[in-house]
Amino acid sequence: MLDPKRLRKDTDFVIDNLKRRGYVFDIDTWTKLETKRKDLQSKNETQQSQLNDISKEIGLAKKDGKDISSLQDKASNLTQEIKEQTKILDELLRAIEEFTLSIPNLIDIDVPDGKDETDNLEIRKHGSPKEFTFIVKDHLEIADKEIDMEAGVKITGSRFKVFKNEIAQLQRALISFMVDTHVSENGYEEVYVPYIVNKDSLLGTGQLPKFEEDLFKLDNKNEFYLTSTAEVPVTNLLREEIFDSVSLPIKYVCHTPCFRSEAGSYGKDTRGIMRLHQFEKVELVQAVEASDSEEALEELTGHAESILKKLDLPYRVVSLCSGDIGFSAAKTYDLEVWVPSQNAYREISSCSNFRDFQARRLKARWKRSGDKNTELLHTLNGSGLALSRTVLAILENFQESDGSVSVPDALRGYLNKDSILG
RNA sequence: GGAGAGGUGGCUGAGUGGUUGAAAGCGCUCCCCUGCUAAGGGAGUAUAGGGUAAUCCCCUAUCGAGGGUUCGAAUCCCUCUCUCUCCGCCA
């Protein structure tokens, strides 16, 4: 959620910034709603104040045994009026909330301008695509028995897969490797969280109200949803909390499955395990003081990169352009891993700075000890990394001519193998 | 699933429908006192919205959440939710 005060004061700036995303901010509607609200609210509060005074008077008069009937009439009328007005005010507030919740975040100055993913800016490259002396296979050809497409369809439906034997082991090893690295080398605190989340949590991180169609909703009166990313439960650990400055920065790492409806991606990445309704992910979440968030994004991105480096996977970092960046993010770096079978870099991690956008929705704050005033936290997160795509990348980048796959050095201790599928 | 008891400030814990945003204690901050320490004395110590350029000041709201009764609700009524205890079931 944007800062309403900023909207009021810096309106032109906000409009221009949102325009870079291609979002047209309806300033007229907003101004109308806000002006009305301000009038009604201050009127309402003044009357409430009057009523409070009269009520106190009644109390005192009653004690002294004085006549209170005229005061009571006055109060009665006032109460009636306030009730009617509050109804209107509540409706107005609801309308304003709905409106402001659907406005995306402002983007940082250094976010490149552009329309879509083709305009994303490459920041740096690490490693280079390996030259193969044989015709490369894709991950399904490499592990056709261990990645069971039929079984996933039988059990559930399309975009569900079953991993068997060495692929299941590989994924499990990767999860341990990633979480361990982030805990012991990068200073994150490991958390385990619910995979089912409520509406408030999804509102807090920005998946709702605008992106309900991306989620799996449970048929349940509580209005629960399957979590689409650990970002939701983990960031919501901060909701309605006030942290002391000494406890910052907060750094969580969490492995969860992720459930996504993938609405609107029919026919896209239908082969293999690139895009699934259910996949595993290790997620990094940070909460920092406002002045530290730019640096924190660089740091967090570096942490995600460190996994790719340790696994010897070639990748590049791109800065998402204004037209491609997500609703809640102020700035996003995508890490894209080299996929030999597609001869392309594909997203394997997305690292974002949300600044105070989520924190305002979440009421996630901090303050200096002894200080009176609270400040909104800045939240960040990034995948470190998405598991099924890491499995895919390892299979394809480390494939050998004999059909086996060599295991990256960093992983050998976790898998107790130098080579799989041999 | 059955039965019962509860959700009050950073914590513990009072609270007969009427200056209670909330006693008291603990903790914390500042000041005073004391050679230092300990003890003692004093003051302060929730969050949000609005009025405002303003973190001073003023108003409003908030005692799990949402409704209701009332001139007035932490206090009465209803619904929901969460926690705890006992029984049952279960990994």
Side-chain angles (χ1 to χ4, degrees):
Chain A
M1 200 157 73
L2 298 184
D3 182 0
K5 283 181 186 158
R6 179 137 200 220
L7 257 175
R8 252 169 264 157
K9 263 187 278 175
D10 251 350
T11 312
D12 289 342
F13 174 84
V14 172
I15 289 176
D16 285 349
N17 188 293
L18 290 173
K19 206 187 261 169
R20 292 183 58 203
R21 284 180 175 269
Y23 182 88
V24 180
F25 179 62
D26 185 353
I27 184 70
D28 288 342
T29 301
W30 188 79
T31 311
K32 236 181 257 168
L33 286 170
E34 263 297 300
T35 314
K36 240 173 156 180
R37 177 200 60 79
K38 196 184 269 189
D39 279 1
L40 257 174
Q41 188 170 334
S42 47
K43 191 175 167 198
N44 207 40
E45 285 182 359
T46 309
Q47 289 184 327
Q48 187 64 54
S49 172
Q50 285 168 2
L51 179 62
N52 287 345
D53 287 344
I54 297 173
S55 295
K56 267 177 202 168
E57 235 178 287
I58 291 174
L60 292 173
K62 220 174 167 183
K63 219 184 238 169
D64 296 347
K66 289 182 195 157
D67 177 47
I68 54 168
S69 56
S70 78
L71 278 174
Q72 228 158 9
D73 284 351
K74 213 164 135 192
S76 245
N77 291 336
L78 202 49
T79 301
Q80 200 50 43
E81 210 176 317
I82 289 171
K83 254 186 195 160
E84 280 161 27
Q85 250 172 48
T86 305
K87 223 183 201 171
I88 301 171
L89 182 64
D90 283 348
E91 266 168 48
L92 198 55
L93 287 173
R94 244 194 303 277
I96 289 174
E97 196 190 17
E98 201 185 309
F99 187 86
T100 49
L101 282 176
S102 69
I103 304 170
N105 200 1
L106 300 179
I107 52 177
D108 283 4
I109 293 173
D110 58 352
V111 168
D113 278 309
K115 262 201 345 241
D116 53 36
E117 65 202 31
T118 57
D119 295 321
N120 292 340
L121 181 71
E122 183 177 298
I123 303 291
R124 59 181 168 272
K125 252 183 194 162
H126 185 269
S128 46
K130 196 168 139 191
E131 305 282 340
F132 289 94
T133 57
F134 53 93
I135 297 167
V136 298
K137 299 181 192 164
D138 80 2
H139 62 284
L140 273 192
E141 294 166 324
I142 297 166
D144 60 331
K145 289 200 203 77
E146 292 77 9
I147 297 173
D148 194 333
M149 311 164 67
E150 300 303 316
V153 170
K154 179 165 66 182
I155 296 167
T156 312
S158 67
R159 289 203 194 282
F160 287 91
K161 299 283 182 280
V162 170
F163 291 174
K164 292 177 176 168
N165 300 317
E166 285 180 316
I167 298 302
Q169 287 162 20
L170 175 64
Q171 171 164 282
R172 183 161 51 83
L174 279 166
I175 292 166
S176 293
F177 161 68
M178 289 180 192
V179 174
D180 286 351
T181 303
H182 292 309
V183 168
S184 63
E185 293 182 21
N186 300 330
Y188 288 80
E189 188 183 331
E190 183 176 356
V191 288
Y192 168 84
V193 295
Y195 304 156
I196 293 174
V197 295
N198 61 30
K199 244 180 158 168
D200 285 340
S201 293
L202 289 159
L203 277 169
T205 35
Q207 280 75 14
L208 288 181
K210 279 199 95 173
F211 306 101
E212 179 156 20
E213 75 272 13
D214 296 336
L215 302 165
F216 284 114
K217 187 175 184 179
L218 298 180
D219 187 14
N220 175 306
K221 66 172 175 156
N222 291 311
E223 301 209 74
F224 288 158
Y225 296 80
L226 292 178
T227 184
S228 56
T229 159
E231 164 190 355
V232 179
V234 176
T235 310
N236 272 280
L237 285 168
L238 312 168
R239 174 146 55 91
E240 281 152 58
E241 298 286 345
I242 301 173
F243 295 89
D244 193 293
S245 51
V246 299
S247 61
L248 301 179
I250 294 161
K251 296 163 78 174
Y252 291 126
V253 60
C254 183
H255 155 243
T256 68
C258 304
F259 303 93
R260 299 189 180 176
S261 73
E262 292 297 337
S265 68
Y266 304 111
K268 218 181 190 180
D269 295 319
T270 48
R271 183 175 164 82
I273 59 172
M274 188 59 118
R275 192 176 297 276
L276 301 170
H277 285 314
Q278 172 186 319
F279 63 96
E280 304 299 300
K281 187 153 60 72
V282 170
E283 185 78 358
L284 305 173
V285 172
Q286 289 201 24
V288 304
E289 297 179 20
S291 55
D292 296 339
S293 70
E294 278 181 45
E295 204 186 319
L297 177 62
E298 301 301 322
E299 184 199 85
L300 185 146
T301 306
H303 292 152
E305 284 181 71
S306 75
I307 301 295
L308 286 163
K309 284 179 184 163
K310 281 174 188 287
L311 294 175
D312 283 323
L313 289 168
Y315 70 92
R316 63 172 193 161
V317 182
V318 299
S319 181
L320 295 194
C321 76
S322 57
D324 196 31
I325 197 166
F327 177 82
S328 304
K331 181 176 179 179
T332 299
Y333 290 123
D334 269 8
L335 305 188
E336 298 182 338
V337 71
W338 180 252
V339 177
S341 67
Q342 298 186 7
N343 205 39
Y345 286 100
R346 296 298 307 265
E347 178 187 341
I348 196 167
S349 168
S350 192
C351 305
S352 302
N353 182 2
F354 302 94
R355 298 200 174 263
D356 61 13
F357 188 83
Q358 292 182 326
R360 185 168 290 108
R361 292 165 166 242
L362 292 161
K363 297 178 181 67
R365 296 149 294 172
W366 67 279
K367 70 169 154 189
R368 255 174 258 287
S369 28
D371 209 338
K372 241 189 161 179
N373 304 299
T374 61
E375 225 182 292
L376 289 169
L377 285 164
H378 276 201
T379 58
L380 306 98
N381 70 53
S383 354
L385 308 160
L387 264 303
S388 52
R389 291 190 180 179
T390 307
V391 167
L392 182 157
I394 287 175
L395 292 180
E396 295 200 6
N397 281 284
F398 289 90
Q399 61 181 299
E400 302 289 347
S401 56
D402 65 0
S404 70
V405 173
S406 62
V407 174
D409 289 344
L411 216 53
R412 290 184 180 179
Y414 284 90
L415 210 55
N416 286 319
K417 281 176 189 174
D418 296 348
S419 171
I420 55 172
L421 308 176

